[in-house]
Amino acid sequence: MFNSWSAELRRLFLLLTVAVLLGLPFDHPWFMAIMVLAGYLSWHLYNLYRLYAWLNDGHRFHPPEASGIWGDVFHLLYRLQLRNRKRKRRLTGLIKRFQEATAAMPDATVILDADGTIEWFNSAAQQLLGLQPGKDVGQRIVNLLRHPQFTRLLSKGANSEPLRIPAPDDDCVTLNLRIVPYGREQRLLIARDVSQQQRLEQMRRDFVANVSHELRTPLTVMSGFLETLLEDEQEYAPHLARSLGLMQQQASRMQHIVEDLLLLSRLETERSVPPHEVVPVTTVLGVIEKGIMPLAEQKQQSLSFDCGKELSIYGAEKELYSAFSNLIANAVRYTPEGGTIQVRWYRDAGGAHFEVQDSGMGIAPEHIPRLTERFYRVDVGRSKASGGTGLGLAIVKHVVNRHNGALRISSTLRKGSTFSIDFPGSLIVSEE
Ligand code: ADP
């Protein structure tokens, strides 16, 4: 490139020198130089015109023939054009493959701009969301998917939990909707048909609830009889009395499991109903304190409640009682004799907080994320020996979710654990 540029400069210099030398005998060297420069300029203008005509003509791909610097200019532009064509072909292929892939996707995908206006959607979005190609692009999605929860999901934006709503055209189809932010304030709406999953979950819930319900009566009867039999314990042979005692212990454990399973399935089915009674939490904690104190005294533990004056929240009293007592009972059960347990209930700018801190055995970090799963126990033997059902923290998690709260667990092995529940400030009942 620079070779031809210096060659061009050399050519101009040579032309001018020849013109001046030829003009010298006639006493007009400058006139000859100007004539040569005029010819040189005409040659450039002519080639400039050819370049313009070539770029203007969309049909002609190959550049015109030219010599000198213009030959190089045409050649370089031609190479640039070739490269652009190749890139364009590759991009077109990529877009085509992307469109084919998204069209084959069973999930509805809709691209939304910052205002929630539809920019593009795939064919699954036509079936699942009832969007019409050619008509709905450019429309705001909230005008087409009219559901209060969806409007809320869209305004919440990123990091919001997926939402389950019935499909707009078919109430029997349940959709799981997610909003994924990307690019410059753009969002991807992804909808998946989860009707089958929903039916299976419902079947599982019904099954557990029915089995628990059916087991409740026979267990109550068995327990009752065992209790009556054990009233005359001294009349039986020692091994028989011990067997009867064990039977009663196991029957009562099963009763606890059944009760917890029934409570869990109730919490699951009533998930969408927000509880709205005024719960005097300080008083509720006082009741729990009275109930649990004898157990803590038996284990020579120092159990203290730091609750201040009455602080009430909106919620479901029975559920909150169950969550708080589960956490406090766990702390007492999993803290060895002579340990310390501190319960706190207070409010700050972030909302209302419940906290149980113990100096117990602690939990290894790998177990913490799984503690709220049903029947998950760190130490099965210890849990059963202390009368645990393995459902306590699952119940706590559900209750906390139903109150829009957050459960936090922090623990250090052999040092102790802290279980906290944060309730949003909106649930606090203001004192008049
Ligand atoms: P469980 O009825 O077995 O106590 P939970 O769901 O209440 O069931 O608790 C699950 C598991 O979490 C327990 O088995 C126990 O291993 C562990 N855990 C719960 N609370 C504590 C605590 N305060 N200290 C140590 N481990 C705990």
Side-chain angles (χ1 to χ4, degrees):
M1 163 76 200
F2 284 102
N3 275 351
S4 54
W5 178 245
S6 50
E8 190 60 34
L9 286 180
R10 271 202 309 275
R11 184 175 12 189
L12 177 62
F13 182 71
L14 198 74
L15 276 174
L16 282 174
T17 315
V18 171
V20 170
L21 287 178
L22 282 177
L24 273 178
F26 304 101
D27 262 356
H28 286 299
W30 300 121
F31 175 74
M32 282 302 281
I34 286 169
M35 289 300 285
V36 165
L37 272 180
Y40 186 71
L41 188 65
S42 312
W43 177 70
H44 275 306
L45 276 176
Y46 170 64
N47 279 307
L48 195 62
Y49 166 75
R50 292 203 315 154
L51 173 66
Y52 175 77
W54 176 54
L55 292 179
N56 219 9
D57 184 355
H59 302 294
R60 248 179 81 192
F61 183 60
H62 293 282
E65 288 291 326
S67 60
I69 187 91
W70 282 104
D72 274 11
V73 168
F74 283 132
H75 178 70
L76 287 175
L77 278 171
Y78 177 62
R79 256 191 18 209
L80 205 69
Q81 212 173 14
L82 267 182
R83 223 178 305 151
N84 276 344
R85 275 202 171 194
K86 231 190 245 169
R87 199 175 301 155
K88 203 166 138 191
R89 223 177 297 138
R90 222 182 28 237
L91 274 178
T92 317
L94 203 70
I95 289 172
K96 205 168 153 226
R97 278 205 302 281
F98 169 76
Q99 278 179 338
E100 280 166 2
T102 47
M105 248 173 21
D107 294 348
T109 311
V110 185
I111 293 180
L112 302 171
D113 71 5
D115 296 332
T117 305
I118 301 175
E119 289 188 345
W120 177 88
F121 55 82
N122 68 351
S123 47
Q126 295 174 37
Q127 292 152 24
L128 292 180
L129 302 174
L131 299 182
Q132 294 174 24
K135 192 173 156 215
D136 291 337
V137 171
Q139 299 270 3
R140 295 196 62 202
I141 187 84
V142 281
N143 295 336
L144 304 168
L145 263 179
R146 289 172 178 276
H147 198 287
Q149 276 175 290
F150 175 68
T151 316
R152 231 172 295 142
L153 175 81
L154 204 63
S155 61
K156 264 200 241 159
N159 305 327
S160 43
E161 287 276 300
L163 167 72
R164 277 193 183 182
I165 56 167
D169 293 342
D170 186 353
D171 277 354
C172 299
V173 174
T174 308
L175 297 179
N176 190 68
L177 302 183
R178 289 189 62 182
I179 300 281
V180 185
Y182 78 100
R184 265 205 234 142
E185 293 193 22
Q186 275 180 310
R187 282 170 295 176
L188 213 56
L189 164 67
I190 299 169
R192 172 174 292 181
D193 181 353
V194 288
S195 317
Q196 182 69 4
Q197 193 185 333
Q198 170 112 332
R199 267 193 290 276
L200 286 174
E201 278 171 21
Q202 190 57 44
M203 268 167 65
R204 177 187 61 80
R205 270 200 294 268
D206 290 349
F207 176 74
V208 172
N210 288 338
V211 169
S212 311
H213 199 76
E214 292 299 324
L215 283 176
R216 202 186 203 175
T217 319
L219 273 174
T220 314
V221 173
M222 262 169 60
S223 248
F225 278 131
L226 282 167
E227 212 168 288
T228 320
L229 282 172
L230 277 168
E231 276 169 15
D232 304 318
E233 197 180 342
Q234 58 283 2
E235 288 177 20
Y236 308 122
H239 73 277
L240 189 62
R242 220 185 53 241
S243 305
L244 283 175
L246 277 175
M247 278 164 77
Q248 199 204 17
Q249 223 178 42
Q250 293 303 321
S252 115
R253 211 172 79 78
M254 276 166 78
Q255 267 182 311
H256 280 138
I257 295 179
V258 164
E259 291 304 327
D260 277 358
L261 280 172
L262 280 171
L263 176 59
L264 256 180
S265 64
R266 197 169 54 73
L267 289 175
E268 276 183 338
T269 42
E270 289 176 12
R271 193 166 44 187
S272 52
V273 189
H276 256 309
E277 41 181 298
V278 173
V279 184
V281 177
T282 314
T283 311
V284 169
L285 289 175
V287 176
I288 298 175
E289 183 181 2
K290 261 199 208 121
I292 199 90
M293 207 44 110
L295 193 60
E297 279 168 3
Q298 203 183 321
K299 290 183 83 179
Q300 285 147 20
Q301 293 166 335
S302 138
L303 170 61
S304 63
F305 280 69
D306 174 11
C307 301
K309 62 183 175 88
E310 188 62 77
L311 170 58
S312 305
I313 58 169
Y314 291 107
E317 185 163 335
K318 272 191 189 158
E319 292 176 19
L320 290 172
Y321 179 93
S322 174
F324 298 150
S325 57
N326 260 311
L327 291 181
I328 299 170
N330 274 353
V332 172
R333 284 195 288 131
Y334 297 111
T335 299
E337 294 204 351
T340 318
I341 296 146
Q342 250 190 317
V343 180
R344 291 180 71 210
W345 172 240
Y346 62 97
R347 68 180 289 182
D348 62 14
H353 311 277
F354 171 80
E355 200 176 278
V356 190
Q357 189 177 9
D358 66 51
S359 64
M361 60 187 61
I363 307 157
E366 67 268 22
H367 294 294
I368 293 181
R370 301 195 56 192
L371 286 185
T372 54
E373 287 174 20
R374 286 152 188 246
F375 297 113
Y376 188 84
R377 290 145 162 147
V378 177
D379 182 337
V380 179
R382 207 188 292 264
S383 159
K384 285 187 180 167
S386 61
T389 60
L391 295 168
L393 291 181
I395 292 175
V396 173
K397 174 89 184 297
H398 268 90
V399 172
V400 170
N401 284 349
R402 274 167 58 79
H403 288 77
N404 295 324
L407 174 67
R408 281 183 293 124
I409 306 171
S410 65
S411 188
T412 313
L413 212 50
R414 285 179 288 280
K415 288 244 167 69
S417 320
T418 306
F419 286 75
S420 325
I421 305 177
D422 303 318
F423 295 98
S426 53
L427 286 191
I428 298 177
V429 181
S430 59
E431 309 127 46
E432 303 287 284

